[in-house]
Amino acid sequence: MGTSVFYIVAALSVFFSLMVIFSKNPVHSVLYLIVTFFTFTVHYILLNAQFLAVVNFIVYMGAIMVLFLFVLMLLNLNKDNEPLKSPLVKILGIIAGCCLIVTLIGSLKATALSNPLLLQNPNLGLIKNLGKELFGPFMLPFELSSILLLTAMVGAVLLTKKEKV
Amino acid sequence: MDITFVLEKFILVAIIFGISLVIAMYSTYAERKVAAFLQDRLGPDRAGPAGMFQPLADGLKMFMKEEIIPTNSNKWLFMVGPGLAMLTACIGTAVIPWGSPIVFDGRIIPLQVTDINVGILYIFGVVSLGVYGVMIGGWASNNKYSLLSAIRAASQNISYEIAMGLSIIALLLVTGTMSLKEVVEQQHGWHWNVLYQPLGFIIFIVCSFAETNRAPFDLPECETELIGGYHTEYSSMKLGFYLFAEYINMFVSSAVMAALYFGGYNYPGMDWVLVHAGTVIAPLIGAGVFFAKIFAFIFFFMWVRWTIPRFRYDQLMHLGWKMLTPLAIANIIITGIVIALIEKF
């Protein structure tokens, strides 16, 4: 049952992420992206990573996407006021896209060669075990990443502050 | 999975869903009665004895009204908006423990739909999704005032989510678990969390006023500035769903506050009752006590609404970012220090 659920949810994630790209209206794109993130949450639950699932739910679906939606609704982008792109930009886009495909195919080939990774502890995703890992062996990287986030926050506050003459 | 388990859960979900809808329905009546009481009026008293059938009349009116979908609106999203508001309001009840487990004929029946070990975070996630119904509805209406209101709602919810999350962290330091069932069980015998986390509770209740868009934080539907708010273009039952979702949200957040801070279904002398009333009646009495606490909170919500005037928008942001957030951080630090000292000595 687990694998069939996985394939259904995976197909949904691919479908909705394609809809993100193909929908004309930016607000619809963001809404499809939210649904895509929801399918990711289901993936995490299937992997028994409850904490990651709920954090993905809160942070990505509940906070970041709200901000995306917020900005897009304010900008009110329509097809009419979309700037015309020159052919040069389009050609550059095609080249960049092809490069991305080549890279993706290359990385997929590499994963096919390796054996699937087996978790030593299937309950690692539960909040207790994850906390012990993060505040035990991975203490330093965890704290450093929090400093990184703090730096970004201070930077954002500084950028919005008006210069005092 | 045996069939009785599925049946048990199904019945429980149906009961909880029914109860939350009925409570939300009668909250509209209670709101008008409380408002009347506070303003020295009578309130609705025509439909049935003391106006008891007023919610039914209101509901019928909502269903019977003409449904208008604006021509230039985004029709699909215009319909999704109220549905999403109702959905996010209702799914929060899944992790709340309504009573201690019933033991009947050797079978233990928990009065909780599911006890996931990240229950508190789940509630927090549902709360953070609540803004989508308002945002999508406001944007899809294709009306400037609706859009402004939706954006207000989004920024208000995001701002107060931060302080709310920080106040929950301080609570988690005290409880040491995220399962709501365990949090409620720990509060047995007057170990109510509000006694350990008074500041955290005040922050939490202020934030839940903001998250449910209730006065004094009802800026998303500020009539004097925004006509009707995000539901200006809505009519008929779609409008009804938005208004109804607010009352369900109020019910759910009252239940969460009662469970997290006010001992849930625990009450003084419950051990004596358990011995004398049996294992079926005693949990039901506990559930009754829990609902009494919820009603007290719902009354508090209404009391505040008819007492305090609405904030100005800059005051709202000032309170959220410059007062509640630092207070919540200070609360975490103090709680941490106290817990460390207690463990040491």
Side-chain angles (χ1 to χ4, degrees), chain B residues 126-141:
Chain B
V126 171
V127 165
S128 63
L129 280 195
V131 71
Y132 280 118
V134 173
M135 274 194 97
I136 289 173
W139 181 78
S141 306

Side-chain angles (χ1 to χ4, degrees), chain A residues 25 27-28 31 34 50-51 54-55 57-58 60-67 69-70 72-74 76 126-128, chain B residues 74 77 116-118 121-122 124-126 128-129 131-132 135-136 139 147 150-152 154-155 158 161 176 178 182:
Chain A
N25 190 325
V27 173
H28 290 182
L31 293 176
I34 295 165
Q50 298 179 0
F51 180 68
V54 84
V55 164
F57 196 82
I58 296 171
Y60 282 92
M61 286 176 70
I64 295 181
M65 296 323 290
V66 172
L67 289 176
L69 209 58
F70 190 93
L72 278 176
M73 283 178 176
L74 270 181
N76 206 11
L126 299 187
I127 185 160
K128 242 180 197 129
Chain B
N74 191 318
L77 288 179
I116 47 177
N117 64 8
V118 285
L121 283 181
Y122 169 84
F124 195 61
V126 171
S128 63
L129 280 195
V131 71
Y132 280 118
M135 274 194 97
I136 289 173
W139 181 78
L147 180 65
I151 283 167
R152 267 190 183 188
S155 49
I158 288 181
E161 254 164 43
M178 286 212 188
E182 285 171 35

